[in-house]
Amino acid sequence: MQFITKINSRAYTELADTETKKILDKLADKSTSPEAYRSVMFKLGVKLGNSILKSINSQSNVYLACTVEDADFLAKGILTTLEPKVSKLAFACFWNQRFSPFEINELKVAPILKKYQEPVNNDIVQYLIVIKSIISGACVVRTNLTNLIQKIEPEKILIAAPVIYKTAEEKLRSEFNKDIYSQFEFFYFAKDSTRDDKGIVLPGIGGSVYERLGFEGQDEKNRYIPEIVKSRRHKLVQKI
Amino acid sequence: MYQQEQIQELFGNEVLDYLKNKNKGGIVNEKGNTYENFFAVYKISVLSKDVLENEKQIVLASQIMAFVDDLIINDIQENIYQHYQLKNTASLTWGSGLRSIADDFAKQYNLNQTVSKQSEMTLVVSNFQLRDRLANQIPQQIAEFSKVDYFYFASSLPKVLQEEQEFSQAVAYLCAFDNPEPDKIECVASVILGAWLSSDKSNVSIREILEKSRQSQPSYIRYFGSQDVQIDPEVKKILDQIQGFTYSISKGFLQWLKII
């Protein structure tokens, strides 16, 4: 990933045009309402989708995976951009519970409480795309990616997020063996190098994504069934 | 486990001071995600089956006033202390004289004899070549009760679980589900690590660690009773009527799958 500008503790990649930077500022702005925040996430999803489209072969099968909080916003933006342009697109959504056992901050674990996973049948998956609103410790991405590659053997793994923390790429690679991490390609607009004492990336995406999107914390987001999951499940049922 | 007076009487003041400093250094430098703690979780997991199924009483200790104290497993029924010294380095020798591994092993053995305990000393390293070399060079005076083992090193627990099959299989046994997916195995292992780190590591039984681990929400740790929990008949009736819904009760957990 090439970096073209650096402002304070943030470095923008070549994927971030002027409009994208403005959108990222809106994301970081604490006064942005949840409704506007959701819309901003969707727009960033579209922009990430367009960046990904330039790098992949359109005659390919794509598997897109996200977490529940990102499904109707960031992931939907990417999905609606990619789906009409590729041969086939399947989708997975994960409900993770991120926590530190016995409040030991050094320990981070994010088990999958439930998942929605569309079948790939016997199709070869060229691209597995894992989406996240922000990647910092990479715990959730690692957990979900590990789960996905039990059943899917992609030719390439794309990790996409609007913003990542400076050590996230290295951290994620270090959790996998070379045969897996050599397939990684990262797509992001900005890399931040500061975290507060609670581990929140600054300016990042303006704090905790759950609250910013309007969820009342982790438990509520884990009770939520995204509209995109409902509609895709409905379509799948009709096909059977 | 050991009294300062015993150590002083057996080995003198210089050795006692050495042990005091060693112990202080170990506690000050303690962090969570370490080679020693991952190894402790591995041992807890491997020994759990015997604790749960055969009521084996095993007490653990770490960073106490002892010569070999990265992990001490006290098998109460067998009356044996198993001591582990962990070294995550590419070069290491047994050495000789005070502060050497060979001397620590010898003194630990002597100390255990005075408290009428059998001893087993293990040096654990993260390099296969080093393990083989050290195993071939065990000094004569400690050879009878000493050995060298390998344990994989990584800075993250999931990576260790990936590489150490025996470890992940032992954790899978403790998991609430049959054939658990990697995230559940990682969760169970991390919860045990958290329980270990937040316990009094100078004297804690494996059963206590397991009971504590089960208090974590979520923990995905199995029910420890011999008979599995039963589902309420009314609830069963409702679940049985849902189309495409399959479920099972296993080790205290309800696991379900809804086929579209």
Side-chain angles (χ1 to χ4, degrees):
Chain A
M1 189 73 66
Q2 295 277 311
F3 291 94
I4 49 169
T5 47
K6 186 163 182 179
I7 300 168
N8 297 326
S9 63
R10 163 165 284 186
Y12 290 103
T13 67
E14 59 189 350
L15 302 181
D17 57 21
T18 312
E19 192 193 359
T20 305
K21 288 177 192 169
K22 279 186 188 159
I23 300 176
L24 287 173
D25 287 344
K26 201 158 186 199
L27 207 61
D29 183 349
K30 304 269 187 201
S31 67
T32 303
S33 68
E35 204 172 308
Y37 194 91
R38 291 170 174 207
S39 155
V40 164
M41 274 293 185
F42 177 81
K43 283 181 193 163
L44 285 168
V46 171
K47 285 189 169 289
L48 273 173
N50 283 324
S51 299
I52 290 168
L53 267 180
K54 287 176 193 160
S55 304
I56 67 171
N57 180 351
S58 59
Q59 300 299 309
S60 52
N61 294 328
V62 171
Y63 205 100
L64 195 71
C66 69
T67 49
V68 56
E69 66 274 17
D70 292 328
D72 280 338
F73 318 111
L74 181 71
K76 191 178 175 185
I78 299 183
L79 193 141
T80 51
T81 309
L82 293 183
E83 196 158 34
K85 304 276 175 63
V86 296
S87 293
K88 210 168 181 182
L89 189 143
F91 173 72
C93 179
F94 291 87
W95 285 254
N96 298 84
Q97 176 140 0
R98 193 167 174 272
F99 73 107
S100 293
F102 300 94
E103 313 294 322
I104 299 169
N105 287 335
E106 209 184 323
L107 308 184
K108 294 272 188 292
V109 63
I112 300 159
L113 298 187
K114 56 187 172 186
K115 63 182 171 180
Y116 167 78
Q117 194 164 6
E118 292 174 0
V120 287
N121 302 320
N122 291 321
D123 294 342
I124 291 169
V125 173
Q126 274 84 23
Y127 300 100
L128 168 61
I129 306 175
V130 182
I131 310 157
K132 188 85 171 62
S133 45
I134 186 160
I135 307 175
S136 176
C139 177
V140 172
V141 173
R142 177 187 56 74
T143 303
N144 296 347
L145 180 54
T146 303
N147 185 281
L148 287 159
I149 58 178
Q150 306 290 305
K151 289 184 183 147
I152 302 168
E153 288 182 29
E155 292 172 4
K156 192 103 192 159
I157 298 166
L158 314 186
I159 317 285
V163 181
I164 69 165
Y165 183 60
K166 63 178 177 184
T167 56
E169 284 176 89
E170 186 195 344
K171 180 84 170 53
L172 192 61
R173 281 196 187 96
S174 73
E175 300 281 358
F176 292 91
N177 290 333
K178 197 180 175 192
D179 60 328
I180 301 296
Y181 74 70
S182 60
Q183 299 172 24
F184 286 2
E185 191 176 343
F186 287 84
F187 288 81
Y188 54 89
F189 300 123
K191 184 184 270 190
D192 289 343
S193 52
T194 313
R195 279 197 290 212
D196 68 13
D197 54 4
K198 287 180 185 155
I200 302 282
V201 178
L202 302 173
I205 52 168
S208 159
V209 71
Y210 310 147
E211 279 85 27
R212 294 302 314 268
L213 284 167
F215 295 110
E216 283 176 16
Q218 187 165 215
D219 288 347
E220 202 211 340
K221 71 100 185 164
N222 277 336
R223 283 193 292 270
Y224 177 72
I225 309 287
E227 290 304 320
I228 198 168
V229 168
K230 287 182 195 166
S231 68
R232 292 186 72 90
R233 187 164 56 189
H234 183 68
K235 280 182 196 159
L236 261 181
V237 173
Q238 286 181 326
K239 276 187 199 168
I240 295 169
Chain B
M1 223 163 179
Y2 307 104
Q3 305 299 318
Q4 284 194 22
E5 295 73 30
Q6 283 175 320
I7 296 165
Q8 191 178 30
E9 198 176 312
L10 263 176
F11 307 110
N13 281 333
E14 189 192 357
V15 173
L16 180 64
D17 288 344
Y18 157 62
L19 271 197
K20 279 182 183 170
N21 288 331
K22 187 172 181 281
N23 183 239
K24 210 187 292 170
I27 291 167
V28 169
N29 294 326
E30 204 178 22
K31 284 183 181 160
N33 286 318
T34 64
Y35 191 44
E36 292 82 357
N37 286 325
F38 294 163
F39 183 78
V41 176
Y42 157 67
K43 279 291 171 186
I44 292 165
S45 308
V46 167
L47 295 167
S48 288
K49 194 172 183 182
D50 245 2
V51 170
L52 296 176
E53 293 183 10
N54 303 322
E55 296 188 354
K56 191 112 176 163
Q57 287 176 276
I58 298 175
V59 176
L60 305 179
S62 175
Q63 305 298 340
I64 60 163
M65 189 75 81
F67 294 93
V68 185
D69 67 340
D70 282 337
L71 183 66
I72 303 170
I73 297 172
N74 176 7
D75 185 328
I76 292 175
Q77 281 109 327
E78 301 291 328
N79 193 41
I80 186 168
Y81 284 164
Q82 294 172 319
H83 293 254
Y84 294 88
Q85 174 79 56
L86 283 95
K87 293 284 182 189
N88 172 33
T89 174
S91 78
L92 188 69
T93 59
W94 287 101
S96 60
L98 191 63
R99 293 180 174 81
S100 68
I101 297 169
D103 192 58
D104 281 347
F105 276 34
K107 286 196 166 71
Q108 188 64 61
Y109 180 80
N110 287 344
L111 183 58
N112 288 351
Q113 277 189 318
T114 65
V115 292
S116 304
K117 282 279 183 184
Q118 297 175 66
S119 300
E120 206 176 272
M121 308 286 156
T122 308
L123 177 58
V124 181
V125 295
S126 56
N127 178 299
F128 283 116
Q129 286 78 28
L130 182 63
R131 178 200 59 185
D132 294 345
R133 188 167 56 75
L134 289 165
N136 286 327
Q137 295 171 351
I138 299 176
Q140 187 91 44
Q141 72 272 25
I142 59 166
E144 197 190 321
F145 50 84
S146 303
K147 60 179 177 156
V148 188
D149 269 352
Y150 169 85
F151 186 67
Y152 181 82
F153 169 76
S155 55
S156 86
L157 188 55
K159 195 86 172 42
V160 180
L161 286 161
Q162 263 178 46
E163 299 294 330
E164 288 281 353
Q165 289 301 305
E166 191 195 5
F167 188 8
S168 60
Q169 280 164 12
V171 177
Y173 162 79
L174 287 169
C175 190
F177 310 129
D178 293 329
N179 304 314
E181 291 193 317
D183 65 296
K184 305 300 181 299
I185 292 179
E186 285 168 22
C187 183
V188 169
S190 299
V191 166
I192 294 171
L193 175 59
W196 166 244
L197 292 173
S198 57
S199 295
D200 170 13
K201 288 162 75 178
S202 69
N203 182 25
V204 60
S205 73
I206 289 186
R207 184 165 273 280
E208 284 170 323
I209 291 168
L210 294 177
E211 296 288 357
K212 185 173 183 176
S213 300
R214 281 203 84 225
Q215 307 303 314
S216 170
Q217 285 295 337
S219 75
Y220 290 108
I221 294 177
R222 60 183 293 170
Y223 170 68
F224 295 146
S226 54
Q227 286 187 320
D228 216 331
V229 289
Q230 297 298 312
I231 196 162
D232 184 282
E234 284 295 306
V235 176
K236 188 176 183 312
K237 208 169 148 187
I238 296 165
L239 295 181
D240 289 344
Q241 285 171 353
I242 304 172
Q243 273 198 341
F245 186 83
T246 54
Y247 65 96
S248 61
I249 299 281
S250 165
K251 302 173 188 172
F253 277 68
L254 170 75
Q255 191 172 18
W256 59 267
L257 178 71
K258 174 88 168 78
I259 311 264
I260 293 171

